[in-house]
Amino acid sequence: MKKYPLFGLLLMYGHFSFAFEKSTQLSVSLGLSSWKDRFSITSPAGVSSDLQVSTLGICPGVSARNHLSEIFLLETTGFAFFGSGDAGFPTDQVPTAFSYSARNIGVFGGGVQVLLWWEIQENAAALGLGMPFLIYGASWPEPGGGYTLNSPNGLGYGFLLALGWERNHFKIAPKMGWFKTFSHLYWNLEVSYQL
Amino acid sequence: MKVKFAISFLFIFYQVPVFAYPHSIGFGYSSCSSCHFNPLGNGPLTDYGRALAATEIAANFFQKDASEESLAQNSRFLGPFGELPEWIRLAADYRGMYLAQNLQTSPTTRWIHMQAEGSLTLKGMEDRLIATGTIGYAPVPQHVPTSRQNSTSTLVTREHYIGFRLSDQLAVYAGLMDHAFGIRVPDHMAYLREKTLTGINDQTHGILLHGIWDKGEGALHLVLGNLFQESSLRQRGGTAVFEYEIAENLRVGPSLLFTASEFRSRQMVALHSRIGVLKGHSLLAEAGLAREQPKSKQSRLENFLFLQTSTRLARGFYLLMTFEHFSDDFLVSGARYYRMGPSLQFIPGQRVEFRSDFLATRTRGLVRVNPDSLAFMTQLHVWL
């Protein structure tokens, strides 16, 4: 797992070096994005339990694309995230002595997404693999009663499978993958317009 | 190309060619009425539909050296063994699915017989008059109590109707058909079909008027409910669907539904679009609202969204990505469902189709935050 950020950095390095040598296609995008995460809550006695986090929000962004070859493209997107999050215990793991539930808490963040696209048909359809790097935060309500939340803000990366579908200057790209661990899915439905 | 021309000439009665799925707009075929006897799609295929599927949509793994003419000819019910008389058409379909659910916790698996049916179509008056009926096996739904399972019929007819073409543009149909509403995706468990109550077993008797013109088509459907149900349960009313081609291979249109029975009334409105790009790539999108009003309870306003892209990797080989959303009542806080996943569709040749889907369902808005519900499905579809 530790190798993957290095892979992402290499992709980004490749992208930016090409950006200055070849023409860069810029586009603006708006996405609907959602991921799962977790953080822990600790009781006064020092016992920790995991809380599940579910986020959903919109992510406006700007993308730069460069051709690496006839059929491969590298795309880097910088985006912001504005949404809401729920945090709570799963149904089958609610502690008997205590419960915590927070709904529709504002979540803000941003990140970078690097995608390597294979153009199946030029300016029509593409298949992509990539990595999102994401940082986010939220003001989760304090649990009280001596309980404490541990590291409730997120920083991490994931992996994505993406399908790109273009018509004229518009592109729709549903993307799906993992965030931090294989048990936490990440998805993003993005619409972009090439400038 | 010769075979296309020949079949087009033979079936000039129909105006626009198409394949079995709404994604066929990606091949430049935007209307359903030439490939299906049902003008809004689904149900038995015409000879044109069979030929088109064999020569363009499916790969030709089983007949690599066959010409297009030969593939088209062999796509008929009897294949290379002969031809039925022009006035009769037969078909048989089986769809089975291996379903693995709850992959995130304790997986359960089962095989489901989704479709096992045969159909008979009779044609007359130079194809202006048709009569179609299907009959088949449907397993007893899981929600039926054990005490009633033995008495529940497993024989089902999902379509039987008579159609008459009044002119090149206008036709009228009477009988049991799917509701004229929205996009008829074959993913019958999609929220788009399951939650809108236009799913695999939600057909209705009625009279349907279908019109087609240069830049689009539409249908008005007077519905009487399913006459096999008790009278008090039948949802009676009307539905309508229209599509307008605003650019080449880009269609948009609204759908409406108003029905009521002794127990509840329902109104739905939706806007859909089907878009094709170059050779074989397409996008389907539909968004809508449904107002459900039970007689003695408060009404609720459901909303649904469906988006599916289809990418042609090679002939007969397609990669799909689906995104769906549904909420029981979007005016109040409560459960919100989001479903997303990739699918692989492989049609190695005429008469065989495989499809695998991975779907993750995320529920938000509840006190408990549960892991996503993960499911994997593999379908086998064979037909004669």
Side-chain angles (χ1 to χ4, degrees), chain A residues 34 36 91 103 121 167 185, chain B residues 248 276 281 338 362 365 370:
Chain A
S34 179
K36 280 284 180 80
T91 305
R103 283 196 286 171
Q121 202 159 2
R167 182 161 170 147
L185 290 179
Chain B
E248 189 181 5
H281 315 296
Y338 301 87
R362 179 164 297 170
N370 287 311

Side-chain angles (χ1 to χ4, degrees), chain B residues 67-321:
Chain B
S67 65
E68 285 198 348
E69 285 85 348
S70 169
L71 287 171
Q73 188 64 34
N74 292 343
S75 70
R76 296 192 181 188
F77 182 74
L78 295 177
F81 305 109
E83 276 192 48
L84 293 168
E86 198 55 44
W87 54 271
I88 184 170
R89 288 292 175 264
L90 295 170
D93 276 85
Y94 174 78
R95 253 180 220 271
M97 180 172 73
Y98 173 78
L99 171 66
Q101 281 177 300
N102 300 321
L103 300 178
Q104 75 287 359
T105 50
S106 46
T108 57
T109 61
R110 62 190 168 116
W111 183 265
I112 301 170
H113 302 293
M114 294 195 295
Q115 183 187 20
E117 64 188 19
S119 74
L120 166 69
T121 302
L122 302 175
K123 304 187 291 176
M125 298 175 68
E126 297 177 332
D127 289 350
R128 290 173 63 126
L129 180 67
I130 60 161
T132 291
T134 68
I135 193 157
Y137 164 80
V140 178
Q142 281 194 321
H143 61 78
V144 174
T146 315
S147 59
R148 287 181 49 204
Q149 292 215 342
N150 286 338
S151 60
T152 303
S153 173
T154 53
L155 200 63
V156 65
T157 172
R158 294 190 172 104
E159 274 195 331
H160 51 252
Y161 57 86
I162 296 171
F164 183 70
R165 185 156 287 279
L166 303 165
S167 69
D168 284 348
Q169 283 78 37
L170 204 60
V172 63
Y173 301 81
L176 182 74
M177 306 174 87
D178 287 309
H179 291 83
F181 188 92
I183 306 174
R184 274 184 199 166
V185 293
D187 316 24
H188 64 90
M189 292 304 287
Y191 296 143
L192 175 67
R193 297 199 60 194
E194 186 194 7
K195 301 292 188 183
T196 59
L197 307 181
T198 58
I200 192 169
N201 291 316
D202 294 318
Q203 292 79 16
T204 178
H205 285 92
I207 297 168
L208 183 135
L209 189 66
H210 178 255
I212 187 164
W213 60 93
D214 284 350
K215 290 287 182 187
E217 63 186 296
L220 298 172
H221 199 183
L222 175 70
V223 302
L224 307 170
N226 189 328
L227 300 182
F228 295 123
Q229 286 185 315
E230 288 177 30
S231 174
S232 59
L233 296 172
R234 292 174 202 157
Q235 292 288 125
R236 300 176 180 90
T239 77
V241 60
F242 292 92
E243 267 192 351
Y244 183 71
E245 191 152 326
I246 57 174
E248 189 181 5
N249 297 329
L250 197 169
R251 285 189 161 207
V252 295
S255 298
L256 293 167
L257 177 145
F258 296 87
T259 62
S261 68
E262 287 183 23
F263 300 105
R264 62 188 185 88
S265 65
R266 186 172 180 82
Q267 299 92 43
M268 290 201 293
V269 59
L271 187 67
H272 73 262
S273 181
R274 296 190 295 132
I275 308 171
V277 172
L278 297 182
K279 182 83 173 177
H281 315 296
S282 60
L283 178 141
L284 309 176
E286 183 170 333
L289 296 170
R291 181 178 177 273
E292 176 78 11
Q293 171 73 74
K295 267 287 187 276
S296 54
K297 289 183 184 171
Q298 257 195 326
S299 67
R300 61 175 195 269
L301 197 59
E302 305 163 353
N303 72 321
F304 57 91
L305 173 70
F306 177 87
L307 192 140
Q308 188 174 68
T309 60
S310 173
T311 301
R312 179 184 181 272
L313 300 175
R315 182 172 161 179
F317 210 16
Y318 305 88
L319 185 59
L320 290 82
M321 188 75 98

Side-chain angles (χ1 to χ4, degrees), chain A residues 5-120:
Chain A
L6 182 62
F7 172 66
L9 288 173
L10 283 172
L11 283 177
M12 278 194 285
Y13 171 76
H15 169 62
F16 287 121
S17 57
F18 268 90
F20 291 103
E21 292 168 18
K22 291 186 172 184
S23 65
T24 301
Q25 297 169 350
L26 288 175
S27 56
V28 289
S29 62
L30 185 64
L32 181 70
S33 196
S34 179
W35 66 85
K36 280 284 180 80
D37 200 354
R38 71 177 166 214
F39 59 80
S40 64
I41 187 167
T42 305
S43 72
V47 179
S48 285
S49 308
D50 274 349
L51 287 165
Q52 292 275 327
V53 178
S54 174
T55 63
L56 176 75
I58 57 167
C59 40
V62 178
S63 301
R65 286 202 294 175
N66 285 99
H67 275 279
L68 299 179
S69 69
E70 291 241 331
I71 56 168
F72 288 107
L73 284 145
L74 195 62
E75 179 183 273
T76 305
T77 304
F79 62 90
F81 177 86
F82 308 95
S84 68
D86 298 344
F89 290 103
T91 305
D92 57 351
Q93 290 172 31
V94 183
T96 50
F98 176 76
S99 189
Y100 181 89
S101 174
R103 283 196 286 171
N104 288 322
I105 307 301
V107 176
F108 304 96
V112 176
Q113 188 172 270
V114 184
L115 273 163
L116 181 66
W117 288 104
W118 165 43
E119 280 202 315
I120 297 164

